[in-house]
Amino acid sequence: MKTLRILTTVLLAIMIANTAVGQQAEKILVKSFNLKGNSIVLMDVSGNVEVQEHKSDFIRVQMAIELTNGTSSILTSLIKAKRYNLVGTVADDQLVLNMPSLEKQVKVGGKELTEKISYTVFAPVDVLVKLSNESSASNAVDKDSSEL
């Protein structure tokens, strides 16, 4: 009986320790942009980018953010601090979308946070979505050209 109680306590402690060590946090953010008459959008971000078409006249970007070694409260704080603020600027007759705040590394408790961000871009049919060299694409939609 006493052995069973000790074994149960040890197993419970191991499960709690694994849960605390293996924490990860995920959130999905969405931001929309007015195309301002541009028919080309450059996604200047690192990470996976999936492009889908939709019937609106604006572009919508859905960002799936995952911290593999952080908690949801840390992720919420980073979101409030505008770390994941997607910025749109017009340059060379195209709308450029990027996240300049990701250039800085974030450390918590002396350890660098590991962030994994993937993007789903919802663009009108007549808009070409290009990717920077750091991006990888899947299901890119462009009926007029085979270029991404």
Side-chain angles (χ1 to χ4, degrees):
M1 183 74 165
K2 192 172 185 179
T3 307
L4 182 61
R5 188 178 311 170
I6 292 172
L7 183 61
T8 305
T9 305
V10 169
L11 286 174
L12 184 59
I14 290 172
M15 289 189 320
I16 290 172
N18 283 342
T19 304
V21 170
Q23 289 182 347
Q24 82 179 41
E26 296 180 36
K27 294 244 186 212
I28 295 178
L29 305 177
V30 178
K31 190 160 185 182
S32 298
F33 294 91
N34 181 348
L35 288 166
K36 301 174 186 172
N38 293 295
S39 60
I40 299 174
V41 175
L42 174 65
M43 289 296 295
D44 189 16
V45 295
S46 58
N48 292 329
V49 178
E50 179 182 349
V51 180
Q52 297 182 6
E53 64 180 54
H54 72 131
K55 296 183 180 187
S56 299
D57 60 347
F58 57 89
I59 192 160
R60 175 170 287 149
V61 181
Q62 179 178 310
M63 299 166 282
I65 303 164
E66 178 182 334
L67 290 182
T68 56
N69 60 343
T71 63
S72 60
S73 61
I74 291 172
L75 182 55
T76 301
S77 296
L78 291 171
I79 291 168
K80 288 180 182 177
K82 298 189 179 189
R83 175 157 178 82
Y84 306 105
N85 188 25
L86 193 62
V87 177
T89 55
V90 177
D92 299 327
D93 295 326
Q94 60 187 3
L95 179 63
V96 180
L97 301 179
N98 63 6
M99 274 199 237
S101 57
L102 287 181
E103 294 173 6
K104 298 177 184 175
Q105 293 296 324
V106 176
K107 291 185 179 183
V108 175
K111 293 183 180 179
E112 196 172 291
L113 286 180
T114 306
E115 302 165 305
K116 188 170 139 184
I117 305 172
S118 59
Y119 306 85
T120 304
V121 180
F122 298 93
V125 178
D126 59 343
V127 172
L128 173 66
V129 177
K130 293 173 145 185
L131 306 177
S132 69
N133 294 337
E134 299 175 3
S135 302
S136 62
S138 64
N139 298 332
V141 176
D142 180 22
K143 294 187 178 188
D144 298 330
S145 171
S146 61
E147 176 187 346
L148 286 178

